[in-house]
Amino acid sequence: MIQFILLQNRQGRTRLAKYYVPFTDSEKHKIEHEVHRIVATRDQKFTNFVEYQNRKLIYRRYAGLYFTLCVDATDNELACLEIIHLFVEILDHYFSNVRELDLVYNFHKVFVITDELVLSGELQESSKKVILNRLGILEKME
């Protein structure tokens, strides 16, 4: 199960935080700070998997953003990397070459995309085509 999803830039600013388990605001702030410290200082020659509080952090850096999933210790790391890659592909297609500012100014759309991809900490849909079709339908309703 996915515990939380974080998108952070290289300076440590959180651009998206989606939690699927309850944390207090102070715990969330502490987690975001610790995760950035762990991920940003890690050498690129190491794997993208890190043990974290009896869980695993799976992360990937795309341009200037770190996409991080925190999952149960028993979850498959490669499947989580595929979820991250699918998320990035969908963002890139939806925003036509996504940039950090797209995430900042269209955060509500990013949350909708996240909800189409992951529901209650589990992968809801793995088809990029289906997700983009659903997003197109939602846009027509607006």
Side-chain angles (χ1 to χ4, degrees):
M1 179 181 151
I2 298 172
Q3 307 290 316
F4 57 82
I5 300 173
L6 292 178
L7 271 64
Q8 297 175 311
N9 66 11
R10 283 187 257 174
Q11 291 77 31
R13 291 205 175 105
T14 301
R15 298 305 184 191
L16 171 82
K18 183 80 172 180
Y19 292 89
Y20 298 102
V21 292
F23 291 108
T24 64
D25 287 342
S26 61
E27 288 174 326
K28 289 177 183 178
H29 182 70
K30 181 181 175 192
I31 287 170
E32 291 170 16
H33 178 72
E34 287 176 354
V35 167
H36 181 263
R37 184 183 50 80
I38 291 168
V39 171
T41 59
R42 194 162 160 87
D43 195 350
Q44 288 184 342
K45 66 182 176 184
F46 295 129
T47 64
N48 292 354
F49 321 129
V50 183
E51 293 291 324
Y52 177 74
Q53 298 178 355
N54 298 328
R55 299 179 185 112
K56 282 189 252 183
L57 293 177
I58 290 94
Y59 68 94
R60 188 86 189 259
R61 181 176 164 200
Y62 287 93
L65 290 173
Y66 291 99
F67 291 76
T68 308
L69 297 180
C70 179
V71 298
D72 295 332
T74 58
D75 284 359
N76 185 334
E77 298 94 349
L78 295 177
C80 293
L81 278 175
E82 284 298 317
I83 292 170
I84 292 172
H85 186 70
L86 176 63
F87 186 41
V88 171
E89 281 186 342
I90 292 168
L91 288 173
D92 199 43
H93 190 274
Y94 186 78
F95 289 110
S96 302
N97 198 8
V98 67
R99 294 181 182 80
E100 184 177 348
L101 288 177
D102 293 326
L103 303 178
V104 172
Y105 294 121
N106 298 299
F107 67 91
H108 55 287
K109 291 181 182 178
V110 178
F111 273 106
V112 170
I113 292 169
T114 306
D115 289 341
E116 288 293 331
L117 184 65
V118 178
L119 181 68
S120 299
E122 298 292 338
L123 182 65
Q124 177 182 343
E125 181 60 62
S126 60
S127 171
K128 181 172 117 177
K129 182 179 178 182
V130 169
I131 293 172
L132 290 171
N133 284 341
R134 287 182 187 162
L135 293 171
I137 292 168
L138 287 173
E139 271 193 11
K140 289 177 184 176
M141 295 171 102
E142 290 180 355

